[in-house]
Amino acid sequence: MDTRVAVIGVIVENPESVAVLNDILHSYSPYIIGRMGIPYKEKNISIISLAVDAPQEIISALSGKIGRLKGVSAKTAYSNIGA
C-alpha cells in the first residue's frame, strides 16, 4: 500500500471539541508519526501539528473529520515522497 508523508496543522478555538478530537487522533494513531501541541493562552486557542505517514485516503479522511469539528480548523501539506 502506497503511503504519503504529510503535516496536518490544526487550530482549536473551541475547547469543547478537544475530547472528540483526541478520540479521532487515537483512532488514527497507527498513522501518526508525531504530534506537537502548543496552547496559546493569550488568544485562548491551541495549535496542533500532526506528522503522518498514511495512504492518501486515510490522510484526507483524518483531516476531514478534524475539520468538521465545531471550532476546529485543519489544513494539510503533503510531501512529494511516496507520491
Side-chain angles (χ1 to χ4, degrees), residues 35-56:
R35 170 182 173 177
M36 178 179 62
I38 303 168
Y40 190 6
K41 293 180 183 181
E42 290 82 7
K43 300 284 184 175
N44 199 32
I45 62 173
S46 294
I47 303 159
I48 302 169
S49 177
L50 300 169
V52 296
D53 185 0
Q56 175 81 41

Side-chain angles (χ1 to χ4, degrees), residues 13-66:
E13 297 174 339
N14 180 7
E16 295 175 7
S17 294
V18 171
V20 178
L21 174 60
N22 282 329
D23 288 342
I24 292 169
L25 295 179
H26 179 73
S27 68
Y28 283 86
S29 63
Y31 305 105
I32 296 174
I33 302 166
R35 170 182 173 177
M36 178 179 62
I38 303 168
Y40 190 6
K41 293 180 183 181
E42 290 82 7
K43 300 284 184 175
N44 199 32
I45 62 173
S46 294
I47 303 159
I48 302 169
S49 177
L50 300 169
V52 296
D53 185 0
Q56 175 81 41
E57 303 81 35
I58 298 291
I59 296 170
S60 295
L62 173 57
S63 183
K65 286 180 183 180
I66 292 171

